[in-house]
Each structure stands twice: as C-alpha cells, then as structure tokens.
Amino acid sequence: MDLQARRTDMVRTFGTLSLVAGFIITLLSLTSGYEGLKPHILAAFLILTGLGLRIEAAITDRKF
C-alpha cells in the first residue's frame, strides 16, 4: 500500500470517528435533558468536520 492510499484511509477513518462522536454527543445531550448549547455546538463541529474529511478522502481516492 502506498503512502497516498494510507493517508486517504487514515483521513476516512478519522472522519468516520468524528461523525460517530458527534452523533453520540447529540444523542446523549438530547436524552439527558441538558438545556445548554455547548454540547450541540461541539457535536455540530464534529459532524461537519467528519463530513468534510470523508468528502476529502472520497475526492482524493477518486483521483488515484
């Protein structure tokens, strides 16, 4: 496996982990009844980061 493929796999994995963490934070904050906004901001940041990383990995993987 070459270096570019390893980097793409790492970015895709980190994006997936970021998405999962964002969704877990969202579910936990919704079920706990916490009224603050900070967990939702963190979850949105993680979800958007995960989506961006997954898109970047898809574009990079498509080029090669």
Side-chain angles (χ1 to χ4, degrees):
M1 186 180 284
D2 63 341
L3 185 61
Q4 184 66 29
R6 290 179 66 190
R7 182 187 176 281
T8 302
D9 288 341
M10 182 190 68
V11 169
R12 184 177 291 127
T13 303
F14 188 71
T16 302
L17 289 175
S18 180
L19 280 170
V20 169
F23 286 125
I24 288 174
I25 289 172
T26 300
L27 289 176
L28 289 176
S29 65
L30 288 175
T31 59
S32 70
Y34 179 71
E35 296 296 326
L37 192 59
K38 290 181 183 177
H40 297 292
I41 293 172
L42 176 63
F45 176 73
L46 286 171
I47 290 170
L48 290 175
T49 302
L51 285 174
L53 288 172
R54 295 279 304 187
I55 290 170
E56 177 189 353
I59 291 171
T60 305
D61 193 34
R62 187 175 166 193
K63 288 183 181 179
F64 293 101

